[in-house]
Each structure stands twice: as structure tokens, then as C-alpha cells.
Amino acid sequence: MEILSLLAGGVLTALEPLNLMLIIAGVSVGLFIGAMPGLGSVNGVAILLPITFLVPPGSAIIFLAAIYYGAMYGGAISSVTLGIPGASTAVATTFDGRPLALQGRASLALVTAALASFVGGSVANILFTLFAPVLATLALSFGPPEIFALMLLAFATFVGLGGDDIPKTVFSICLGLVLASVGFDTISGEPRLVLFDIPGFLRGIGFIVLAIGVYGIGEMLWTIEQTRGEVTTTNPRMTARGMMNDTREAVQRGWKGTTIGSFLGFFVGILPAAGATPGSLMSYGVAKMVSRRPELFGRGNPDGVAAPEAANNSASTGAMLPMLTLGIPGSPTTAILLGGMVIWGLVPGPRLFVDQPDFVWGLIGSFYISNFAAVLINLAFIPLFVWMLRMPFTILAPMIFVLSIVGGYAASRSIHDLWLIVIFGISAFFLRKFDYPLAPAVLAIVLGPIAEPTLRQSLLLSSGDPSIFFTRPISAPIMVFAIVLILLPAVKLFRRRKTETAAAE
């Protein structure tokens, strides 16, 4: 009961006129930031951090947290309407959101994304409120072996799904891992794979550069080649009845992905340095793995939209947990929030809940209000987002190209990255022509920088003995499950050939 009374006080604090105004403004700005390719919550929070010194510290972090929430919602907008991920957290949304838009079901994709985001945020808020100290302790028990095991499981969800061309999937993952290793070695500090000694490669290859190139330029070239520019969507108009039908269908067809994303995303979000992007990609893979019809994923399945959208919102709240309770940022955005808290004179850690209860519970209360405000604002603007699809593709294609270039430049302000976007776009086009899956490469470049150092740190801890992954109580079952998923396609292939041989005899 004490938690409920503290939460009620926090919600009342969040509903104070100044805080409520900042929540609405933050969610609206975040929605726009999330929808703009190349910006994302990290850049949005960093850019707007100086503005917060005009208001009290509690109101300031409520405003920044609202931007974070809005950006998680907004990333789905450009993923669905343009096929360009608004942020790295929304890449997996593109896999099924864009096909739905091309089928004239953009409203279904956007409604599914909004509702899944709301549920994911709500589940995460409840878990955060009830189990913050316990979950913070659990997160601390995840050392390098446990985190590597989790990353291997994420790769396994893409390799072991069945029904896909496994050699091409493995090739795609390896390609992504190679791209992820470009730049300075995180442990030795030595430069690696610096092509032709070009200085730009020393910074590595940014994930958003790959995502915009593959899903912006590459998708545009693929669409032009397949349709010769004659792209039409089936009746993208919005009506009140149509939106109600979309809501009903979103609930019926997206509940499983929403459930998976809500819990898995929160769990991944609380792990230090993981964040919402791995959570959304893993949730998509798990949702496809447990689906009765995995072949529908990538062709416009609402479950494929619901899983990553629920996960990225759930993970964004989960990433706040280690920041507040331990002083350890759970994502790049929370690292900026942590810096802001230090500037404001607030010391994150276990004592924060004791020394600053009004601040902590006011922030937690704002999570609930921000989540509610975000879903209302998002749903209200869906007709406008769908209206964009009524533009002829001859106008839309140049717009996609310009947004891709501007978004790529805004992310790093580097001409080198603009060339990489174009190269990745052309390469992605040819990979699609030869039926190579792109999602595993995207997954690899996200998880590679997390998996490689944790693998090497684990082996350093064990003096090179790989049994460390199988002797620790948390990493062992995760590793076993991941290996089973990796071997599953081989078992299925063996059984299929055995059946075919028996039938032939």
C-alpha cells in the first residue's frame, strides 16, 4: 500500500500545470524527433538538454523523459509511411510496417504500433513501480558471460527460425559482424578494417547510417525496380469506422507480439548498455519464432509491428531503472539523462529513493502520464500520416532520398557517412535481388559491438576457457537454448530428407 500512496503522490506531481504542460510539449516534440530519420531520442534529448535549465530539476527530467517516450512512439511513423526507420529502435518495425502500408493498410500498422507502444509502456511502468530494487539487483548479476549468452540468443532467433535460406541468413549475419568490427578495437585500441586508410572508417560504421542506407535508399531502389515507379496503395483514406476496425484487428492479430515485446523489451532494457534497439530486434525474432505462421512475417503481419514497438517502449522505461537505482545508464539516451541529473545536483543510486522521494516518484508518475498522452497524440495524428501515402511515388521517392541524405548527415555531420549511405543502399538493392535477407545483417551490426567485447572479457576472466558460459547459473540455460535454436534448422532438414527418402522407397 505504501508504494501505491507514493505512486499516487507522484502522479499528482506529474499533473501539476507546469509538469503537465512539459509532458505534452515533450511528447509532441519527441514524436516529431522520432519520426525524423537520423535524429532519434539520443540527439533530441541532447539538443534540448540546455533548455531544461529554465525549469526546476524535477520538471526538467520529466520533460526529457517525455521526449524519450514520444521518440519511441514516433519512430514507427517514418518506418511505416516512408520505409525509413525514424530511429534505430524502429528498424524492426519496418520489416512488416512498410509492407502493410504498400498494401493500403498503413492505418492498421500505425494503430497497431500505437496500441502496442502503449501496452508495452504500461507493462514496463507497472514492473518498474513494483520491482525496481529487485530488478536492479538482477541486472547487476549480468556479467560479460550472461550478456554474451543473451546476444547469442538474439542471433539464434534469426538463424533458427526455419523456413528461410539458412546459409544466406548466416552470410548476412557474418556480413553485419564484419561491418560492426570496423574502427578501433574496443579492448586493444588497434584500428581494424580501415579500408584504404580512409580516416572516416576509424570512427566505425554507425548503425543509423546502415539502417538509412538499407531501408531508405535500398528500399526506394527496390520499389522503383519492381514497379517501374507505378506504386499505388489501396484506399489509404481514414474514417472513424475504419479506425475502429483497425483497432479491433490490431488487438486480435497483434496481442502475441505485444505480450512478447512488453516483457522481453523491459528485461533487455534494464541491462546496462543494451537499450531499446536490441530489445526490439530480439522481440521481433522471438515473435516470429513462436508464431504458427512465421512465413507471414516480413509480408505485412501486425504481430511483426506490435512486437518491436511494444519492446522499444518497454525497454525505454526499463533503461531508466538502472540509471535511477544504480547510477548506471541502460541506454545512450539515459546516459544523457544521467549527466543532466548530475548537473542538477541529483545523485543517482540507491539513496536517491530515500533522499529525493518527491523527485523519484514524480518522475515515475510522469511515465504513466507521458505514456497516456503519447498514445492519444499519436492516434490523433494517424489520419495525417496516412494522408502522406496518397502522394504519387514520383514525389515520394525524391522525398525519401532527400530525407535519407539529410537524416544521415544530421546523425554524424560527416560527408563520409553520406557516401556510405549511398553504397549501403545500392548494396542492399543487389542483396535483395539475390534473395539475401537484410534483417540479420542489421541485427548483427547492432549486437556485434555488444557481443564481441563481452565474449573477449569472458574469455579473459576464464583464461581462455569457454566453459565459463556453461558453468554460471544464468548464462548456462541461455546458451543451451541458443544452441538448440541454432541447430534446429539442421534437425528439421535431416528429418525432411529422411521422410523424403522413406517416401521414395
Side-chain angles (χ1 to χ4, degrees), residues 133 206 233 263 479:
T233 54
F263 289 94
M479 287 290 291

Side-chain angles (χ1 to χ4, degrees), residues 323-404:
M323 180 195 76
L324 291 175
T325 58
L326 303 172
I328 301 172
S331 69
T333 308
T334 53
I336 297 173
L337 292 176
L338 178 65
M341 289 179 64
V342 173
I343 294 172
W344 297 317
L346 299 167
V347 182
R351 293 290 306 174
L352 187 65
F353 281 75
V354 178
D355 298 337
Q356 301 284 345
D358 293 339
F359 165 79
V360 170
W361 288 101
L363 176 61
I364 294 173
S366 76
F367 293 165
Y368 290 84
I369 305 302
S370 297
N371 194 34
F372 190 69
V375 72
L376 291 180
I377 294 172
N378 201 322
L379 290 173
F381 279 95
I382 283 177
L384 176 63
F385 304 145
V386 174
W387 174 83
M388 294 171 56
L389 294 175
R390 299 174 64 183
M391 288 187 289
F393 192 73
T394 50
I395 297 175
L396 201 57
M399 184 183 299
I400 292 172
F401 181 80
V402 170
L403 283 174
S404 298

